Amino acid sequence: MKIAVSGKGGVGKTTISAGLIKYFLSKGYKVFAVDADPDVSLGTVLGIDDDSVDGLKPIVEMREVISKKSGGGGAFFPLDPQVEDILEEYIIQMGNLFFLKMGAVKQGGSACYCRENTVLNALVNSLLIKQKEMVLLDMGAGIEHLTRGTSGGVDLMLIVTEASKVSVNTALTVKKLAQELGVKNINFIGNKIRTEKEKEFLKSTLPSKEILGFVEFNEEVLELAMGFHPLEKSSAASLDLEAIGGEILSRNS
Amino acid sequence: MKIAVSGKGGVGKTTISAGLIKYFLSKGYKVFAVDADPDVSLGTVLGIDDDSVDGLKPIVEMREVISKKSGGGGAFFPLDPQVEDILEEYIIQMGNLFFLKMGAVKQGGSACYCRENTVLNALVNSLLIKQKEMVLLDMGAGIEHLTRGTSGGVDLMLIVTEASKVSVNTALTVKKLAQELGVKNINFIGNKIRTEKEKEFLKSTLPSKEILGFVEFNEEVLELAMGFHPLEKSSAASLDLEAIGGEILSRNS
């Protein structure tokens, strides 16, 4: 199954992605986690040290490898051990977790990230996913990965939103664009929920059947983001994420 | 003076932009506020109704007008009444506030925003700013406006950051890229500050002389984002922003 996690900047895409990745790993899945935001942070939140992430070859340089293995552009290939061996420089492996990054930070004024997005799109489309395998893309903030079509090849678009007007506006725009891209399954996750009023706000502004669940606001996540301690099982937010992970598996099995 | 407001998604770029815009207006400035995020929200936070923002022609369509007025590409032109008259369709005016947007939301899979960024860059570079005039660009999340060079023509890069490791990482990357673009003045604003510990974290991870100030975390801003009431003078956060606005004027006069 291929999942893209999207939404307005700062709604918690990376935290939600990391939580779901941990959940799928705990259920015995092999998870390919892709940081698709050029301003990379998923690796950090997953507890990979910065030097390893910096040293990792980005997917954009993978084009040649893909062509070689598939005997020309556009062909499909499975993520089998043979390919993984070749892809070693592009992957940080920790148990069943395989971490990849879309691109590296470029020089100021040098270029856009169109090429990175194109290569990532080709990769996602060409991956053959087996039972108990999961690809999760943590997308860049906002909508450009959708207008570019990068995230078009996924089975499920998860849209994260806070209980704010601007965040819901973006969420609904993301949904519209994902539909235009032909993504069949589109779901929302309400994040950083502090009060019942916030839940009600989201239920009244989003199609309620499409809401997978809510994740409670968590001071610990703030601490975590400050880098004081590594990600660990904790608190209501963690339980919320497990429930949402379970919901994803049951809705898509 | 031309200012770009940047930083990681969700750090509060738009809230800070809106606060500074209100401050400069209160000091008698004419302010050109540009929403440079294709996922538009500055207009909403400034209290402009969604239909007006949606109906506004984006700057990307302005290229021809710029060429005509300047007698060919690349020339400079002042924002005088004569030009403003022509630009009417591209501007929502409320008193001394002139609101513009970079681009509109495109179809899923149709295109990137490279052209929008190029036109905005040309516009910012060609504007001749007079005394008591201010251009403020609320940039998209992350770093692509910098690798694309969009925000290269500004006098001051304001980098907003929360007290989190990932937010500071982005802030420092933004600084490096802005330096590469030749932006001379680069300053930081610490936002959503809840505790002294968070202030200390930012002072220890950023060059302290370059920190313009801190803005207190504010529940009211959350309410505001939910769309329950319009932006108004309130609370500690508002005073923090006034102090920072004053600091910007005194450091750059």
Side-chain angles (χ1 to χ4, degrees):
Chain A
M1 188 179 177
K2 304 172 191 175
I3 301 176
V5 179
S6 59
K8 189 169 171 61
V11 293
K13 287 181 293 298
T14 303
T15 308
I16 298 283
S17 296
L20 292 176
I21 287 165
K22 302 234 157 185
Y23 174 78
F24 295 135
L25 288 171
S26 78
K27 292 287 159 192
Y29 280 78
K30 195 165 168 177
V31 183
F32 297 87
V34 182
D35 192 327
D37 188 346
D39 167 29
V40 183
S41 64
L42 179 63
T44 308
V45 176
L46 285 170
I48 303 171
D49 67 277
D50 292 349
D51 288 345
S52 300
V53 174
D54 288 347
L56 188 66
K57 274 200 187 182
I59 293 172
V60 66
E61 294 174 20
M62 205 191 267
R63 181 177 261 170
E64 215 182 322
V65 182
I66 296 176
S67 292
K68 253 183 228 161
K69 280 309 286 182
S70 63
F76 289 78
F77 70 97
L79 276 174
D80 62 26
Q82 202 191 347
V83 179
E84 278 160 25
D85 185 51
I86 292 178
L87 298 183
E88 205 175 322
E89 290 172 288
Y90 301 90
I91 291 177
I92 294 172
Q93 187 184 351
M94 302 194 304
N96 269 333
L97 171 65
F98 298 77
F99 176 79
L100 301 92
K101 68 177 184 188
M102 181 182 71
V105 175
K106 299 167 192 277
Q107 270 227 312
S110 62
C112 57
Y113 283 86
C114 288
R115 192 163 152 261
E116 279 76 359
N117 278 276
T118 304
V119 174
L120 177 59
N121 178 251
L123 178 70
V124 171
N125 278 310
S126 63
L127 285 179
L128 295 179
I129 298 299
K130 285 179 282 200
Q131 277 284 320
K132 286 276 187 179
E133 284 185 354
M134 194 67 88
V135 175
L136 192 144
L137 310 167
D138 181 17
M139 304 308 301
I143 58 166
E144 198 162 352
H145 63 92
L146 291 147
T147 64
R148 275 166 165 157
T150 318
S151 49
V154 300
D155 306 305
L156 170 62
M157 179 69 63
L158 281 184
I159 308 173
V160 184
T161 181
E162 293 176 50
S164 77
K165 195 180 161 205
V166 289
S167 177
V168 166
N169 280 352
T170 297
L172 291 172
T173 304
V174 167
K175 181 189 169 183
K176 182 176 156 286
L177 294 171
Q179 283 174 323
E180 287 169 6
L181 280 175
V183 178
K184 289 219 177 64
N185 298 304
I186 303 172
N187 286 131
F188 300 95
I189 296 174
N191 193 27
K192 303 190 194 172
I193 302 299
R194 290 155 184 274
T195 60
E196 276 303 313
K197 192 175 162 195
E198 294 194 345
K199 261 189 211 177
E200 291 311 315
F201 174 76
L202 288 177
K203 283 182 189 165
S204 68
T205 50
L206 298 171
S208 59
K209 274 190 192 166
E210 295 167 19
I211 301 177
L212 281 184
F214 299 95
V215 181
E216 201 170 283
F217 179 81
N218 189 349
E219 289 288 343
E220 275 187 58
V221 173
L222 286 182
E223 288 278 307
L224 161 73
M226 248 187 284
F228 295 143
H229 59 70
L231 189 70
E232 55 186 333
K233 255 181 147 36
S234 65
S235 73
S238 184
L239 295 174
D240 290 340
L241 273 166
E242 282 180 27
I244 288 170
E247 186 69 20
I248 290 172
L249 293 183
S250 78
R251 285 203 191 191
N252 296 278
S253 61
Chain B
M1 187 177 178
K2 303 172 190 176
I3 301 175
V5 179
S6 59
K8 187 168 173 62
V11 294
K13 287 181 292 298
T14 302
T15 309
I16 298 283
S17 295
L20 291 176
I21 288 165
K22 301 234 157 181
Y23 175 78
F24 295 135
L25 289 170
S26 77
K27 292 290 160 188
Y29 280 77
K30 193 165 169 178
V31 183
F32 297 88
V34 182
D35 192 327
D37 189 345
D39 165 30
V40 183
S41 64
L42 179 63
T44 307
V45 177
L46 285 171
I48 303 170
D49 68 278
D50 291 349
D51 287 345
S52 299
V53 173
D54 287 347
L56 189 66
K57 275 202 188 180
I59 293 172
V60 66
E61 294 175 19
M62 204 191 268
R63 180 177 260 171
E64 214 183 323
V65 182
I66 297 176
S67 292
K68 251 182 227 162
K69 280 309 289 182
S70 62
F76 291 77
F77 70 98
L79 276 174
D80 61 25
Q82 202 190 346
V83 178
E84 280 159 25
D85 185 50
I86 292 176
L87 298 183
E88 205 174 323
E89 289 172 288
Y90 301 90
I91 292 176
I92 294 172
Q93 186 183 351
M94 302 195 303
N96 269 333
L97 170 66
F98 298 77
F99 176 79
L100 301 92
K101 69 178 182 187
M102 182 182 73
V105 175
K106 299 168 193 275
Q107 269 227 312
S110 62
C112 57
Y113 283 86
C114 289
R115 191 162 154 260
E116 278 77 359
N117 277 275
T118 304
V119 175
L120 178 57
N121 178 251
L123 178 70
V124 171
N125 278 310
S126 64
L127 285 179
L128 297 178
I129 298 298
K130 286 179 281 199
Q131 277 284 320
K132 285 275 186 180
E133 284 186 355
M134 193 69 86
V135 175
L136 192 144
L137 310 168
D138 181 15
M139 305 308 299
I143 60 166
E144 198 163 353
H145 63 90
L146 291 146
T147 64
R148 273 166 166 158
T150 318
S151 49
V154 300
D155 306 307
L156 170 63
M157 178 69 64
L158 280 184
I159 308 173
V160 183
T161 181
E162 293 177 47
S164 78
K165 195 180 160 206
V166 290
S167 178
V168 165
N169 280 352
T170 298
L172 291 172
T173 304
V174 167
K175 182 189 169 183
K176 182 177 155 286
L177 294 170
Q179 283 174 323
E180 286 170 7
L181 280 174
V183 177
K184 288 220 177 64
N185 299 302
I186 303 172
N187 286 131
F188 299 95
I189 296 174
N191 194 26
K192 303 189 195 173
I193 303 299
R194 290 155 184 273
T195 60
E196 277 302 314
K197 193 176 161 194
E198 294 195 344
K199 260 189 210 176
E200 292 311 315
F201 174 76
L202 287 177
K203 282 182 189 165
S204 68
T205 50
L206 297 171
S208 58
K209 273 190 191 167
E210 295 167 20
I211 302 177
L212 280 183
F214 299 96
V215 180
E216 201 170 284
F217 179 81
N218 190 348
E219 288 289 343
E220 275 188 59
V221 173
L222 287 182
E223 288 279 305
L224 161 72
M226 247 187 283
F228 294 143
H229 59 69
L231 188 69
E232 54 186 333
K233 255 181 146 39
S234 65
S235 74
S238 184
L239 295 174
D240 290 339
L241 273 166
E242 282 181 26
I244 288 170
E247 187 68 19
I248 290 172
L249 294 182
S250 77
R251 285 203 192 192
N252 296 278
S253 61

